Amino acid sequence: MKARTRVLIGAGLVVGTVGYLMASGIKDTGVYFLTPTELAQRVSADPSFRDVGVKMGARVVHGTIQRDVASQTIAFKVTDGTQTYPVVYRGLAPDTFNDDVDVVVEGRLMPDGTFRATTLLAKCGSRYEVVPKA
Amino acid sequence: MTTLGQISLWLALLVAAWGAVTGVLGGIRRRPELIHSARRATYVLFGLLLVAAASLLTALLKHDFNVEYVAAYTSRNLPLVYTVAAFYGGQAGSLLFWAFVLSIFAAAAQWSTPKRYETLMPYVAAVTSGIEVFFLATLVFAANPFTRLPFTPADGSGLNPQLQNPGMVVHPPMLYLGYISISIPFAFAVAALISRRLDTGWLHAIRRWTLLSWTFLSIGITLGMWWAYVELGWGGYWAWDPVENASFLPWLTMTAFLHSVMIQEKRGMLKKWNMTLITISFMLSIFGTFITRSGVISSVHSFTESNVGYFFLVFLVLTALGLGWLLWTRLPDLKTEAQLESAISREASFYFNNLVLVGIAFSVLWGTIFPILSEWVRGQKITVGPPFFNLVNVPLGLLLLALTGIGPLIAWRKASLGNLRRQFTVPVAALAVTAVMLAAIRYSNFYAGVAASLAAFVVATVVQEFVRGTFARHRLHGENYALAFARLVGRNRRRYGGYVVHLGIVTYMVAFSGLAFKQQMEASLKPGQSTTMMDPYGHQYTFTHLGISQYDRLNRFVTAASVEVRRDGKRVGVMSSERRQYVNSLNQPTFQPSTEAAIRSTPLEDLYIVFGGAVGNSEEAVYRFTINPLVWWVWYGGAILVLGGIIVMWPGSGPTKASLRRALPGYAVTLAGSAADRD
């Protein structure tokens, strides 16, 4: 076998591995990113969609944050203007989490209509910029 | 002062446009007066941007809050060092910083490049000026740091507390220096393409620039990890955030480039590949800035969404089209001079190393932009996070680690069986012994075990190289061992500096494998209450909550919670984590409260304690305790990496006759007598 052929086979193996890892990685770890409205549509079209873990991007409704420090639970409401969901999260919230910030919550919609989040990211669109004074 | 800055920016834009046009015209038409003009434009640009930078700095230092940028990023009580750092803390300032530094590099390149590369220089001037046109246009039309407010606020808003950290003073400029300095090798590549002078000349001209930019990127990435670790309070240093990925991408392609240019220098192969790699590296550095600023991909680092992103997008598309066309028309000039002779050769191992590095880069890029891609293609936004990147990159990283050991030991062109036996006996033995030992102690994580075994393999290859080289010099020149070692490294900086870099990579990989044993727990404790936690080495930690205290500091109000730490019952010390509310000089709160983690670092493991808040008005506190094994080594891995880079770059190691020599068969095998000639 020529050297070139051998190296090409090796290269094929490397490229194949990378491709396989990427494809399976996306299949196994990819998560839908939805707005509250899209989530509502999905669930009403197919109730079993509740069991699929999703990420939801929305804005925290002003004044709805309730922190129970003892049980380390945070309850708040998020909205995209049309659809609103109550969210429950257990754990420490990031520093930027506050009223009216954009958040990304990852978790599941419970049968009672509450979104149970396992991760909470506060996506302060202006993290490096100054926060507008209220 | 700002008027002066404003005028300088406009003049700079005109001069940059002039330089870009005259450089290309002068080069093609061989008009000396145009060539001179283009090269002088580079120096004038530097002068003008120096004035612009100085006027922004003056405005910052004088607390001229009538300037929007100054009011938005500083306040009267901000410590001096952060007031200076605010120069690049915001969008407009960081763009000016970029344009200014590029003008320094461009002038330095014109000034320092030896005369033998003269035919390339007008094009180099044209390319650097062209890049400046883009940055200056963005500054003037979309993000002007000299914009004035209709009124003058009493005090500014202050700098984001997360940026008020020593790491943050040096991390962004280092990363920017890395990004920006890629422009110089890129400019030379384009110059070589336009002028069709595609011999190895341009590669020699950029050798040090490439290394410089790689070293800056390495420093910037390591400092970025450190900043994220001490400042963001989530207990880790790398989250595969889009902006982190954006800094990692050009580092990967530059690393590939550093290796593959050796093949072109020695064998005249991989010419198209090298052109493509340097172009991609440059585009990735622009892409990194683009996703940081556009808000297209959500990230913790995002600046305010603004139309600056579109400037970057247009620039990226134009660069890709222009370079694609240039490469296409120059393909006949980029024919390879030699064929691969064996699949077991230095060339082949470098092919694979490049393939893996670019594979990692591609998967990271793919994961980063997948949310956008999936929305375009399937109308469905799908995101991937750390699990995806770990799944793909852990195996690829280990493959790369193996190649790090294999590559330098295989002979050029064709390795003989004797060569393989001679080079690999000791390293393979080291690998086997480590693997058996780990199995014996029931090392619980497979990947971490593989990483440790491969690390032993690579370290053995490097030690073997150093020992053999030193002994050879001792034998041949009669030098004592210390002198032989010093001269060995001093006279073959590229090679032995490269090995030091490899040691840095090994240190990184071992440190990363510690993540497999990370432990984390949260607890709510009343004063005097304690909780316990086992570390991966079998020691028991006891954390006792001591209480909460509150006090004022220069520009912040601090609430601190303290924990007494015991290890196996023996007192280790008290650790305090803080929640800080920053205020301006009028005592008005700026920003939301931020958390300051308490970190106790040892070579084996870090204790990382975060105070999450007090329960009601009581002294009961919520904590997150993290035990992070081997994190210490991440910082030292970075230091070793940079040390290696500096050894290679050190002045005086420019292309010697020996290093310009082409490879002979079995080149790497003939050690005796020629140790000084190889690299």
Side-chain angles (χ1 to χ4, degrees), chain B residues 424-437:
Chain B
F424 285 102
T425 310
V426 174
V428 169
L431 180 127
V433 169
T434 314
V436 168
M437 271 166 46

Side-chain angles (χ1 to χ4, degrees), chain B residues 242-288:
Chain B
V243 171
E244 293 167 356
N245 296 348
S247 67
F248 188 36
L249 290 170
W251 186 89
L252 286 166
T253 53
M254 287 300 272
T255 308
F257 183 72
L258 283 175
H259 289 92
S260 63
V261 287
M262 290 187 224
I263 306 277
Q264 185 171 347
E265 285 175 17
K266 295 282 184 205
R267 303 291 322 273
M269 299 155 79
L270 295 183
K271 290 180 177 178
K272 290 165 217 153
W273 176 251
N274 285 330
M275 278 292 170
T276 314
L277 268 184
I278 191 66
T279 306
I280 288 180
S281 300
F282 173 72
M283 289 185 58
L284 285 173
S285 76
I286 300 289
F287 173 78

Side-chain angles (χ1 to χ4, degrees), chain B residues 43-113:
Chain B
Y43 298 116
V44 174
L45 261 181
F46 163 65
L48 288 169
L49 284 165
L50 182 67
V51 171
S55 62
L56 181 60
L57 192 63
T58 312
L60 284 165
L61 291 176
K62 281 167 117 180
H63 297 300
D64 184 355
F65 295 120
N66 187 243
V67 178
E68 188 184 352
Y69 189 82
V70 178
Y73 295 102
T74 61
S75 57
R76 284 185 200 284
N77 62 355
L78 188 69
L80 178 69
V81 56
Y82 299 120
T83 307
V84 175
F87 190 109
Y88 43 79
Q91 174 143 290
S94 69
L95 288 172
L96 177 59
F97 183 76
W98 189 305
F100 173 53
V101 173
L102 178 57
S103 76
I104 301 177
F105 285 158
Q110 292 292 342
W111 182 71
S112 72
T113 307

